[in-house]
Amino acid sequence: MSDKTLINVREAVMEKFFLFCASTSILALLLICIFLFANGIPAIQEVGVRAFLLGTEWAPLRQYPATPQFGILPMIVGSIYFMIGAIIIGVPVGIFTAIFFAYMCPDKLYFFLKPVVNLLAGIPSVVYGFFGIVVIVPIVRVLAIQFTGHLPGGASGMSILSASILLGIMILPTIIAISESAIRAVPKNYYEGALALGASHTRSVFFVIVPAAKSGILASVILGIGRAIGETMAVVMVAGNHARMPIHALRGARSLTANIVMEMGYASGLHRETLIASAVVLFVFILLINLTFTFIARKSGM
Amino acid sequence: MSRTKISDTILASLTWIFAGFTIFVLMFIILYILVNGVPHLTPTLFEIRYTTDNVSMFPSIVSTIVMVFLTLTFAVPLGIFTGIYLVEYVKRGSKVVMVIRTAANLLAGIPSIVYGLFGLLFFVVFLGMSFSLLAGSLTLSIMILPLVIRTTEEALQSVPDGYREGAFALGAGKLRAVFRIVLPSAMPGIFAGVILAIGRIIGESAALIFTAGTIAQLPESLSNSVRTLTVHMWVLSGEALHTNEAYATGVVLLLVVFFINTVSAFLAKKIAKG
């Protein structure tokens, strides 16, 4: 065999090897789907789709003669409340901060502040959760005793509000980073045109630039929602985790993610399978969110 | 003042207020943990063995480092080779690229608890690895793979085509051009991605609880259950007795995050300069 063919063989082999490496992502995704769905779907069938998704009672360990209940609606509602709370707190702050960074911030301040905000993205969720326990929860506790003292159960301060505040802070870096790049991607002559027509700096930014960046900003919000829904540890640490329908913003609730991490350690049989099934629900939900994000991001040409 | 002027003032002040709020919250979190944690960083917290009396974080630090290296060993070559395939071997915009990139994007969006559950079902139970260093790092490898792929792709794409053409013109084969010319120029970008991946491994907890377990011990083999630093902090914060030690662990984690961010910012600057 000549040198030339040897090199050709080597090239061909390596190309196949690279292709093999590239297919591991697909393989991993397939494995995740197969293992989650194979373990989760039978449980949903056994409990019944309606009873599982719309059942308001989660009591997996109830003993005979009573029957165990596997309704995950309290956790779905809990997750949605946390998400809405996080949006209310995180989205306005995040978008305004992004506008600030892109158009209002003096250069010198920017070079100091930008790394600081990047730092926010790197802090582990357990550290956020711990901060929630020692700072946010005690503050909310005062409010909870004041306003929900008449409700049953203890007012510990571990509540929907605590989790919402914490999640609102945690989604800030995502919203700021993506919104900022969307705002910066708007051609500078939009801004100059608005100025030339007599609009002030603030007016040009808020009524010309920001509307032009709206799909990118929307994409950042959707990605932030994905983070809030998927967050586990920080939520478990501050949300109180009561597995019942949420009654008040100052009282506890449990998210889908918290339900899995709290009970998977000791669950067995159908209980275990329903937890996997709730991961399937979570997985599908996140998938829809990401597809929406991809769609919007593509539309806005990011 | 005209109505326009008033609304201008309101919008501008809102911007400053909200941006100020962001910075304030961040500074507050960091300072609060540092102020409360640094006094509790005692030498006993770094003793070799973890006992119920002295909840030393030393075994967790070692476990975290081993976990990082092991995970990178699996994920970085795979991620880089995937990036090379997507950028250098397939036509840009072809179906193969679309499918692989979509898979990687979907992987990137999956919450860590779902990875943890998958790791439990597949590595721990199905492959019989039990709670172990190996099961934990394999789970994390899948989790950081999309990040490594994406940063490799971006780094390779930023290498000018002239480099490749020059290499081919001098008679280099594809492999030679990629490994001798393109990859070395893309290295800072790839390295920045790896640094980010290290940050994610260190910060991860939900995916590790059901794959690597929570036993605080020095890892002696791949089949040992280990407790990384974030998991350690989570366990401590659940016990009212150990709040001070949890603060101290938080300080160590924050320092690591500072360090990682500084290195990646430095690399980013280097790439920007070219």
Side-chain angles (χ1 to χ4, degrees), chain B residues 114-163:
Chain B
V114 175
Y115 276 111
L117 212 54
F118 166 71
L120 174 69
L121 294 172
F122 185 64
F123 296 120
V124 175
V125 177
F126 185 73
L127 296 183
M129 291 181 188
S130 69
F131 285 174
S132 61
L133 192 53
L134 187 62
S137 63
L138 285 170
T139 308
L140 291 188
S141 309
I142 302 178
M143 211 175 93
I144 65 162
L145 191 58
L147 181 65
V148 182
I149 295 176
R150 212 195 55 229
T151 45
T152 306
E153 268 187 276
E154 281 168 6
L156 290 174
Q157 275 160 359
S158 70
V159 176
D161 273 340
Y163 284 34

Side-chain angles (χ1 to χ4, degrees), chain A residues 2-144:
Chain A
S2 72
D3 272 6
K4 189 112 190 168
T5 44
L6 194 68
I7 288 173
N8 282 341
V9 168
R10 201 169 65 189
E11 295 275 351
V13 169
M14 283 307 278
E15 182 171 349
K16 287 283 170 295
F17 173 70
F18 289 147
L19 173 63
F20 168 77
C21 289
S23 13
T24 47
S25 300
I26 303 172
L27 182 72
L29 187 66
L30 283 179
L31 275 177
I32 292 175
C33 290
I34 290 169
F35 271 81
L36 283 183
F37 284 79
N39 285 288
I41 301 292
I44 299 181
Q45 282 169 338
E46 195 172 332
V47 177
V49 179
R50 264 186 82 93
F52 181 66
L53 290 177
L54 299 176
T56 54
E57 221 183 337
W58 175 260
L61 297 178
R62 200 169 278 171
Q63 299 284 324
Y64 185 83
T67 44
Q69 298 293 322
F70 297 101
I72 61 164
L73 190 64
M75 277 68 83
I76 295 179
V77 174
S79 281
I80 291 175
Y81 279 167
F82 295 150
M83 176 189 91
I84 294 172
I87 293 174
I88 293 174
I89 292 162
V91 168
V93 178
I95 293 177
F96 274 100
T97 309
I99 295 172
F100 176 78
F101 277 158
Y103 272 95
M104 308 269 184
C105 189
D107 275 357
K108 273 190 185 150
L109 202 59
Y110 184 78
F111 283 111
F112 168 70
L113 292 183
K114 189 62 189 169
V116 175
V117 173
N118 284 341
L119 205 61
L120 197 58
I123 299 176
S125 40
V126 172
V127 177
Y128 277 111
F130 182 70
F131 174 78
I133 293 179
V134 291
V135 175
I136 298 175
V137 168
I139 296 173
V140 175
R141 183 183 300 138
V142 178
L143 292 175

Side-chain angles (χ1 to χ4, degrees), chain B residues 6-25:
Chain B
I6 296 174
S7 74
D8 268 16
T9 320
I10 293 174
L11 282 174
S13 6
L14 272 181
T15 314
W16 279 89
I17 291 169
F18 279 127
F21 176 79
T22 305
I23 305 299
F24 167 77
V25 166

Side-chain angles (χ1 to χ4, degrees), chain A residues 66-233:
Chain A
T67 44
Q69 298 293 322
F70 297 101
I72 61 164
L73 190 64
M75 277 68 83
I76 295 179
V77 174
S79 281
I80 291 175
Y81 279 167
F82 295 150
M83 176 189 91
I84 294 172
I87 293 174
I88 293 174
I89 292 162
V91 168
V93 178
I95 293 177
F96 274 100
T97 309
I99 295 172
F100 176 78
F101 277 158
Y103 272 95
M104 308 269 184
C105 189
D107 275 357
K108 273 190 185 150
L109 202 59
Y110 184 78
F111 283 111
F112 168 70
L113 292 183
K114 189 62 189 169
V116 175
V117 173
N118 284 341
L119 205 61
L120 197 58
I123 299 176
S125 40
V126 172
V127 177
Y128 277 111
F130 182 70
F131 174 78
I133 293 179
V134 291
V135 175
I136 298 175
V137 168
I139 296 173
V140 175
R141 183 183 300 138
V142 178
L143 292 175
I145 293 169
Q146 191 96 29
F147 294 108
T148 64
H150 59 284
L151 293 174
S156 67
M158 298 210 174
S159 61
I160 297 177
L161 181 64
S162 310
S164 301
I165 296 174
L166 197 59
L167 286 174
I169 297 173
M170 290 178 72
I171 64 173
L172 278 180
T174 311
I175 294 182
I176 295 173
I178 298 175
S179 293
E180 191 193 333
S181 59
I183 293 169
R184 283 185 190 279
V186 177
K188 255 281 191 303
N189 43 15
Y190 281 40
Y191 170 76
E192 285 153 5
L195 280 188
L197 289 172
S200 68
H201 170 72
T202 314
R203 250 188 144 55
S204 314
V205 171
F206 277 91
F207 295 93
V208 176
I209 300 292
V210 174
K214 69 172 184 295
S215 44
I217 294 176
L218 186 63
S220 81
V221 173
I222 289 168
L223 212 61
I225 290 175
R227 274 205 69 181
I229 292 273
E231 180 50 48
T232 312
M233 306 313 287

Side-chain angles (χ1 to χ4, degrees), chain A residues 213-280:
Chain A
K214 69 172 184 295
S215 44
I217 294 176
L218 186 63
S220 81
V221 173
I222 289 168
L223 212 61
I225 290 175
R227 274 205 69 181
I229 292 273
E231 180 50 48
T232 312
M233 306 313 287
V235 175
V236 174
M237 290 162 87
V238 299
N241 307 318
H242 311 64
R244 52 161 160 68
M245 292 301 280
I247 48 170
H248 195 286
L250 293 169
R251 289 303 176 90
R254 184 186 284 194
S255 70
L256 279 170
T257 50
N259 196 36
I260 299 170
V261 83
M262 291 175 67
E263 300 195 358
M264 201 60 201
Y266 60 83
S268 61
L270 186 59
H271 180 196
R272 188 183 141 99
E273 283 169 30
T274 51
L275 290 177
I276 298 166
S278 50
V280 171

